[in-house]
Each structure stands twice: as C-alpha cells, then as structure tokens.
Amino acid sequence: MRKITIIETGIKDLLVIEPKLFFDSRGYFFESYNKKDFEELGLHYNFVQDNQSKSSRGVLRGLHFQMNFPQTKLVRVLDGSVFDVAVDIRCGSPTYGKWFGTVLSADNNRQLLIPKGFAHGFLVLSDTAIFCYKCDDFYHPSDEAGIAWDDPDIGINWPLVESPILSEKDKAYPRLNELCRGDSYV
Ligand SMILES: Cc1cn([C@H]2C[C@H](O)[C@@H](COP(=O)(O)OP(=O)(O)O[C@H]3O[C@H](C)C(=O)[C@H](O)[C@H]3O)O2)c(=O)[nH]c1=O
C-alpha cells in the first residue's frame, strides 16, 4: 500500500507530498520518507544530508540555492507552520522565474519536493517553526547563492504582516535578472 499522495504544483517536477497518517488512541504514526514509495512513483533521489533549523515568527530564510552543486530538497515542518516557496531558476525552463508557495505545518504534515534548479525559501507563520529537510548533495559553502526574497520580477506573494526578519546575507542577494541570461548563469 503506497503511503504518500502526490499533488502537482503546475511546475514540472515540483511536487507537494502528503503522507498517510495512521491514528490510534496513542496519537499518530507516518513514514516521513520511504525510498521505495518514491521509486514506485518514478522519484529517484539519493538523499545524503538532513538539515534542521528553528526560527521565530516573521523570519524569512531564502531564496537560496547552490550554483554548481545544486540540491534536490525534501522539506517539511516538525513544529509550527511556514509559507514555503520554490522558484524555478532552471535556465531555459518554460516556467523559468515562476514561483510556487504552500503552507507546510506540523498539522498538515505536507512536504515539498524541490528539485535541483530551484531557489528555496520560507517565511515563519507561527511563534516558532522547526524546519527540516533532506538534500541529495552536500553543503558547499563556497557554492552558496541566492536571489532577493522580494524580487519584483518574481513577485512572490509572501503572507507578511510586517517586514520579515532576514540574515545580512539574505538582505544582500541580487535580483534574478542579474543571475541568468539566455541558457546559463552569468
Ligand atoms: C545550509 C547549511 C548551513 N550550515 C551552517 C552555515 C551557517 O553557519 C549556519 C546557518 O547557515 P545559513 O544562514 O545559510 O542557514 P539558512 O538561512 O537556513 O540556509 C538554508 O535556508 C534555505 C531555506 C535553504 O533552502 C538552504 O538549504 C539553506 O541555504 O549553518 C551548515 O553547516 N550546513 C548547511 O547545509
């Protein structure tokens, strides 16, 4: 019995994944990742690194990607809720520059499968949020890159109630049109 449901996002390869929960008098159980289920759905990834971060309400982390060592990410929320966003920056993609956002929370247990070639970020909606994710390549600090969270050409509709809390690094990222012209990154 397959224990995940796939929800299309309108952007090729970017998928929302809903796990099947098993409830009983003690609470619930679900498999947060099963390689066999993924492979039966044609989703062939070899995740090599798990990450976890905790953030307060209003924190926005992103939009990040690794330039030469791009990572597929399978992201979810263990506690609280976030508005999670992925932007297609695959040069030449028919949905290049298109964004998709969805609420990931400890209540909906939804996950977002973000393939290589996307920039990723999230805004914390709850008092705090614990965010965790699997990556299919390792962290390469010198390879980190990013796009301005408020790039007007992308036009992400962040559910902001006030200015987000950003790292100095995230405040300084360029707009997408400064990154990619034609079929390659500049
Ligand atoms: C990403 C990463 C970071 N670090 C260290 C480097 C810094 O000393 C510290 C915080 O790093 P950073 O400010 O880049 O963390 P985030 O802002 O959460 O970055 C992540 O947030 C967005 C949403 C992503 O999708 C990326 O996975 C990642 O860029 O953790 C590591 O040691 N390993 C890692 O894989």
Side-chain angles (χ1 to χ4, degrees):
M1 169 185 60
R2 190 170 298 145
K3 298 174 192 150
I4 54 175
T5 303
I6 301 296
I7 302 171
E8 301 287 341
T9 62
I11 299 178
K12 187 175 181 302
D13 307 323
L14 180 68
L15 303 171
V16 173
I17 293 176
E18 279 198 338
K20 176 177 175 51
L21 275 66
F22 297 92
F23 293 93
D24 64 26
S25 57
R26 299 165 298 171
Y28 71 71
F29 176 94
F30 72 92
E31 293 179 0
S32 52
Y33 172 68
N34 184 317
K35 190 177 178 73
K36 184 168 171 289
D37 277 354
F38 266 52
E39 296 198 332
E40 284 177 1
L41 289 164
L43 304 174
H44 300 282
Y45 295 101
N46 178 34
F47 294 113
V48 296
Q49 180 177 318
D50 279 6
N51 294 337
Q52 182 165 318
S53 64
K54 181 176 181 179
S55 310
S56 304
R57 182 186 299 273
V59 165
L60 193 157
R61 294 180 186 249
L63 298 163
H64 302 161
F65 63 99
Q66 292 191 161
M67 188 77 86
N68 301 298
F69 300 91
Q71 297 166 306
T72 299
K73 297 167 188 169
L74 178 60
V75 307
R76 67 193 183 105
V77 169
L78 295 182
D79 183 47
S81 65
V82 308
F83 184 71
D84 199 74
V85 172
V87 181
D88 187 353
I89 56 171
R90 297 171 294 189
C91 290
S93 165
T95 50
Y96 177 79
K98 185 172 166 62
W99 68 277
F100 172 82
T102 189
V103 173
L104 303 179
S105 73
D107 290 335
N108 69 22
N109 295 295
R110 280 186 162 192
Q111 303 176 13
L112 190 59
L113 179 62
I114 307 167
K116 296 177 191 289
F118 282 73
H120 173 242
F122 64 85
L123 171 68
V124 177
L125 305 174
S126 46
D127 287 342
T128 59
I130 296 177
F131 191 84
C132 76
Y133 51 109
K134 309 179 90 61
C135 304
D136 73 347
D137 201 346
F138 296 106
Y139 175 55
H140 290 76
S142 61
D143 192 46
E144 278 195 305
I147 300 165
W149 65 278
D150 57 349
D151 184 331
D153 297 330
I154 300 173
I156 297 169
N157 186 18
W158 296 102
L160 288 165
V161 291
E162 54 194 350
S163 297
I165 300 165
L166 299 162
S167 67
E168 289 307 311
K169 183 174 64 170
D170 289 355
K171 288 175 185 172
Y173 279 129
R175 290 171 59 167
L176 181 56
N177 67 12
E178 299 170 67
L179 272 179
C180 180
R181 291 185 185 86
D183 284 336
S184 64
Y185 291 116
V186 293

PDB file of all heavy atoms in Angstrom, residues 29 121 130 172:
ATOM      1  N   PHE A  29       1.109   7.881  13.590  1.00  0.00           N
ATOM      2  CA  PHE A  29       2.405   7.457  13.038  1.00  0.00           C
ATOM      3  C   PHE A  29       2.374   7.682  11.527  1.00  0.00           C
ATOM      4  O   PHE A  29       1.338   7.476  10.886  1.00  0.00           O
ATOM      5  CB  PHE A  29       2.624   5.956  13.309  1.00  0.00           C
ATOM      6  CG  PHE A  29       3.878   5.411  12.697  1.00  0.00           C
ATOM      7  CD1 PHE A  29       5.050   5.341  13.420  1.00  0.00           C
ATOM      8  CD2 PHE A  29       3.898   5.014  11.360  1.00  0.00           C
ATOM      9  CE1 PHE A  29       6.227   4.859  12.846  1.00  0.00           C
ATOM     10  CE2 PHE A  29       5.078   4.541  10.761  1.00  0.00           C
ATOM     11  CZ  PHE A  29       6.229   4.470  11.512  1.00  0.00           C
ATOM     12  N   GLY A 121      12.941  29.136  -0.249  1.00  0.00           N
ATOM     13  CA  GLY A 121      12.887  29.961   0.959  1.00  0.00           C
ATOM     14  C   GLY A 121      11.585  29.728   1.699  1.00  0.00           C
ATOM     15  O   GLY A 121      10.677  29.069   1.182  1.00  0.00           O
ATOM     16  N   ILE A 130      10.054  24.666  13.520  1.00  0.00           N
ATOM     17  CA  ILE A 130      11.207  23.786  13.330  1.00  0.00           C
ATOM     18  C   ILE A 130      11.073  23.178  11.938  1.00  0.00           C
ATOM     19  O   ILE A 130      10.066  22.518  11.630  1.00  0.00           O
ATOM     20  CB  ILE A 130      11.280  22.692  14.408  1.00  0.00           C
ATOM     21  CG1 ILE A 130      11.488  23.344  15.784  1.00  0.00           C
ATOM     22  CG2 ILE A 130      12.430  21.721  14.104  1.00  0.00           C
ATOM     23  CD1 ILE A 130      11.494  22.369  16.945  1.00  0.00           C
ATOM     24  N   ALA A 172      21.195  40.925   1.050  1.00  0.00           N
ATOM     25  CA  ALA A 172      22.122  41.431   0.018  1.00  0.00           C
ATOM     26  C   ALA A 172      22.024  40.692  -1.320  1.00  0.00           C
ATOM     27  O   ALA A 172      22.707  41.052  -2.276  1.00  0.00           O
ATOM     28  CB  ALA A 172      23.554  41.330   0.548  1.00  0.00           C
TER      29      ALA A 172
END
